[in-house]
Amino acid sequence: LVSYGCFLGEIDLQILSKVQTKYPGIHINNEVVEPNAEQIAKYKELVAKTSNLENIKFAWHKETSSEYQNRMMEKNELQKWDFIHMIQVLYYVKDIPATLKFFHSLLATNAMILIVVVSGASGWAKLWKKYGFRLPSDDLCLYVTSSDLTQMLDNLGIKYKCYDLPSTMDISDCFIDGNENGDLLLDFLTETCNFNTTAPPALKAEILKDLQEPEFSVKKEGKVFFNNNLSFIVVEA
């Protein structure tokens, strides 16, 4: 298995547990590609205190996808894998088509890649489309959705299936002045550090108004729930 973007390792261990349940006693190689050293350290801590991992061999690589690709190409080590996942990470990849093409080339027969990103029909997609050009750009995050990825996969001639997962996120605190959690949520929604205190007042007012509109959220029992719909894209070998 290859984990591209590991977070703190919880998702990997859940996936590995499912594989172990289905194939008892099987030996598993888990290759982790993650550029954040802190994430890797926390992942290793989690592994150290988790039982039933005796048959799993972990290898952590502090690398971006392009660095991993270059190293594999230089060593001519294009090992084939049965499962690769990219969960909520492609927003931070500079050349997504090249990354998709490379990892697709690593799939063994009947293998697959699982990609999770926000849906093209989500509130995120509408928010980014309307305000992305007015928000600070630091090249750390791309406004990419499932609609963009399926178009890229079509252009590459790669087969896939796409499934939508309904999801909401309570953003009620965003509309309470001085609420710390609300300020952090606004930072998250706009990909802007300290948005509440640094954004032009007109832009802030416009976004706060829109976030309460049916196009972006639903109101229920006095709370505002943002459309956080996700898409699961299963890429076939």
Side-chain angles (χ1 to χ4, degrees):
L1 287 79
V2 174
S3 165
Y4 176 48
C6 67
F7 299 102
L8 306 182
E10 301 102 323
I11 295 175
D12 274 21
L13 295 192
Q14 289 182 42
I15 292 172
L16 292 166
S17 176
K18 294 292 186 182
V19 174
Q20 287 180 311
T21 300
K22 188 172 180 63
Y23 303 101
I26 191 174
H27 289 271
I28 302 172
N29 290 325
N30 190 46
E31 193 106 340
V32 179
V33 182
E34 169 60 59
N36 188 310
E38 183 178 352
Q39 301 271 43
I40 290 177
K42 291 182 178 180
Y43 190 149
K44 290 181 178 179
E45 290 175 6
L46 181 61
V47 167
K49 62 184 181 183
T50 302
S51 59
N52 301 321
L53 300 179
E54 295 80 8
N55 292 333
I56 303 175
K57 179 182 178 181
F58 291 91
W60 290 274
H61 304 284
K62 183 182 174 297
E63 297 172 319
T64 64
S65 61
S66 58
E67 289 169 341
Y68 177 76
Q69 177 178 347
N70 291 337
R71 182 167 61 83
M72 293 297 100
M73 297 295 286
E74 288 173 3
K75 292 185 176 182
N76 195 27
E77 292 184 358
L78 294 184
Q79 181 177 348
K80 297 295 184 178
W81 298 91
D82 295 308
F83 181 72
I84 299 171
H85 74 70
M86 304 174 179
I87 300 175
Q88 297 284 49
V89 296
L90 288 178
Y91 316 109
Y92 309 102
V93 175
K94 290 185 177 180
D95 191 340
I96 296 176
T99 297
L100 293 173
K101 185 176 180 180
F102 169 68
F103 279 102
H104 184 257
S105 73
L106 302 184
L107 290 179
T109 304
N110 298 323
M112 66 180 65
I113 299 173
L114 172 64
I115 299 171
V116 179
V117 293
V118 297
S119 167
S122 67
W124 290 102
K126 298 177 176 67
L127 186 68
W128 291 341
K129 183 177 181 180
K130 185 169 183 178
Y131 293 104
F133 71 98
R134 296 172 62 185
L135 296 170
S137 175
D138 54 16
D139 293 328
L140 292 179
C141 179
L142 299 177
Y143 299 136
V144 61
T145 71
S146 61
S147 297
D148 303 307
L149 289 178
T150 53
Q151 183 62 58
M152 293 176 192
L153 290 167
D154 286 337
N155 292 340
L156 291 167
I158 295 175
K159 294 181 180 180
Y160 64 88
K161 294 178 181 177
C162 188
Y163 308 89
D164 281 340
L165 175 69
S167 173
T168 59
M169 179 170 61
D170 185 351
I171 61 170
S172 307
D173 288 346
C174 291
F175 311 102
I176 303 174
D177 286 338
N179 185 286
E180 183 179 358
N181 185 57
D183 288 349
L184 292 173
L185 279 169
L186 276 176
D187 288 358
F188 180 53
L189 288 164
T190 61
E191 292 287 343
T192 305
C193 186
N194 299 318
F195 176 82
N196 191 43
T197 56
T198 61
L203 175 62
K204 176 185 171 183
E206 192 175 344
I207 288 179
L208 285 174
K209 180 178 180 298
D210 266 352
L211 285 174
Q212 299 182 73
E213 296 297 324
E215 182 181 7
F216 297 90
S217 306
V218 294
K219 294 183 178 180
K220 185 177 180 180
E221 299 178 353
K223 293 185 177 295
V224 181
F225 294 93
F226 184 69
N227 181 333
N228 188 52
N229 288 359
L230 302 173
S231 288
F232 286 56
I233 302 174
V234 179
V235 176
E236 304 171 9

